[in-house]
Amino acid sequence: MNGIINVYKEAGWTSHDVVAKLRGILKMKKIGHTGTLDPDATGVLPVCLGKATKLCELLAGEDKTYEAVLRLGITTDTQDISGTVIKETNPAVTEKEAISCIRSFEGEYMQVPPMYSALKVNGKKLYELAREGKTVERKARPVHFYRIEILKTDLPEIRFSVTCSKGTYIRTLCHDIGEKLGCGACMKSLVRTRVGRFDVKDSRTLEQIQKLADCGRVQEAILPLDQMFDRDTAVVAGSSLQKRVYNGNSFYGRDLPRPVPGLKDGCRVRVYDGGGAFVGLYRYREKEDEFRLVKMFRDGGGQG
């Protein structure tokens, strides 16, 4: 079984819990998730199966969209509502001031990761140090908020949608908004609504996936591996090339059983064997009329 399942992670589950449960449902070990969601957060968690685990890093780097509820006037140690309250105030902030402040975070921003995170310092996860009562210096990292949209205001709470780059902490965004307003803030709730091409409206809960598996229809929930690259041109290598592509070797356009129209220098293509099985991704070099391996997805293949 190779492909990606768009899982709806429910509250209370860690991303690792989801993977462990799927291993039991699907009766397979080679499964990996594509980016951690906090236990209290819900929403899209693409999970890769079999050969598709080679895509975990790629999917983790995709842009993401969230819906969050910001609670003004409360500051916690975890930067979300489940943490220990450090300070609580009655925020003297108008709706206009709050909205203006939130929108000011659009664009590139240097964000300091929270102590309660899975990032490692000297081999130890930050949340482990935080639970020991320790605080260590964290370097600010560039993140990008491509779009922030206010969905509802009911002070001291504001619901908003944000599309952002990888490695962004929405809890920290909420905290930083509170700091800029001078009243403190934390994240009350979080739903991840999109990761790359995977949308929350198409996601399935673990219970729904279990029911599909019980009646032999689990393939309905799995996006085939090659469909992740359906915008790339498909190239079929004939029997004379099969051994070469299985080994991840380069090949030439003149060796193909039929010409491929519309190829441009540097374009990426999906390569299939003569039987229609997806082999891997190649890149075309127009000057040499050559296809060179980018990523092999067939078992036993190399990478060049």
Side-chain angles (χ1 to χ4, degrees), residues 2-299:
N2 305 296
I4 302 96
I5 294 185
N6 182 2
V7 178
Y8 183 88
K9 191 196 84 66
E10 297 174 279
W13 291 77
T14 68
S15 300
H16 291 294
D17 290 339
V18 171
V19 168
K21 181 67 174 177
L22 279 176
R23 285 182 177 137
I25 293 173
L26 303 176
K27 307 293 190 292
M28 63 183 297
K29 292 183 178 179
K30 199 172 183 182
I31 300 179
H33 68 76
T34 58
T36 304
L37 265 180
D38 291 341
D40 289 343
T42 63
V44 174
L45 181 69
V47 177
C48 298
L49 314 176
K51 298 172 189 176
T53 52
K54 295 181 179 182
L55 292 177
C56 285
E57 187 176 343
L58 173 67
L59 287 172
E62 293 273 17
D63 295 341
K64 300 170 178 69
T65 301
Y66 298 86
E67 281 189 16
V69 174
L70 167 74
R71 174 59 163 88
L72 297 173
I74 297 178
T75 304
T76 73
D77 58 349
T78 59
Q79 301 180 346
D80 62 22
I81 202 71
S82 66
T84 301
V85 175
I86 298 172
K87 185 179 179 181
E88 189 165 1
T89 63
N90 183 20
V93 176
T94 67
E95 182 177 306
K96 185 177 179 180
E97 288 170 338
I99 291 173
S100 176
C101 178
I102 292 170
R103 286 178 173 158
S104 73
F105 281 82
E106 282 190 340
E108 191 166 285
Y109 181 67
M110 296 299 291
Q111 187 180 73
V112 178
M115 274 302 300
Y116 281 88
S117 66
L119 292 177
K120 289 185 178 181
V121 173
N122 297 324
K124 198 158 186 179
K125 291 179 180 177
L126 285 175
Y127 69 76
E128 293 173 340
L129 295 170
R131 287 170 182 169
E132 295 172 5
K134 299 176 182 177
T135 300
V136 296
E137 185 178 354
R138 289 97 65 205
K139 290 184 179 179
R141 307 184 304 176
V143 297
H144 203 111
F145 298 107
Y146 300 106
R147 183 169 181 242
I148 299 177
E149 181 183 0
I150 307 301
L151 302 177
K152 183 181 179 182
T153 56
D154 185 14
L155 296 182
E157 295 182 4
I158 300 174
R159 181 183 294 275
F160 65 94
S161 171
V162 55
T163 298
C164 56
S165 60
K166 69 174 183 177
T168 303
Y169 289 90
I170 307 302
R171 301 183 265 136
T172 302
L173 171 61
C174 291
H175 172 84
D176 292 349
I177 290 168
E179 289 293 294
K180 190 170 182 178
L181 286 170
C183 62
C186 67
M187 186 181 75
K188 184 178 179 181
S189 66
L190 183 70
V191 181
R192 188 156 67 189
T193 58
R194 185 182 63 81
V195 175
R197 66 183 292 162
F198 297 98
D199 195 279
V200 69
K201 70 178 186 296
D202 303 315
S203 62
R204 287 180 168 91
T205 65
L206 289 171
E207 183 180 1
Q208 290 171 325
I209 296 168
Q210 177 73 70
K211 287 179 179 178
L212 286 173
D214 290 343
C215 58
R217 296 168 47 208
V218 74
Q219 284 293 150
E220 294 177 17
I222 301 174
L223 179 74
L225 174 56
D226 61 327
Q227 286 190 28
M228 281 295 300
F229 312 104
D230 55 8
R231 293 180 181 176
D232 298 328
T233 300
V235 172
V236 178
S239 56
S240 62
L241 287 175
Q242 193 154 290
K243 186 175 180 180
R244 290 174 68 179
V245 297
Y246 281 177
N247 290 324
N249 295 330
S250 298
F251 60 92
Y252 296 94
R254 62 178 178 269
D255 299 325
L256 293 171
R258 62 183 65 87
V260 182
L263 289 178
K264 295 180 180 179
D265 183 56
C267 73
R268 194 175 66 180
V269 299
R270 294 173 285 147
V271 174
Y272 296 82
D273 65 17
F278 180 49
V279 177
L281 298 175
Y282 277 69
R283 197 168 300 281
Y284 180 63
R285 304 295 179 188
E286 187 175 19
K287 185 177 180 180
E288 300 87 358
D289 190 31
E290 184 184 23
F291 296 85
R292 296 180 186 176
L293 181 68
V294 174
K295 191 79 170 178
M296 173 64 72
F297 289 101
R298 181 183 180 274
D299 289 338

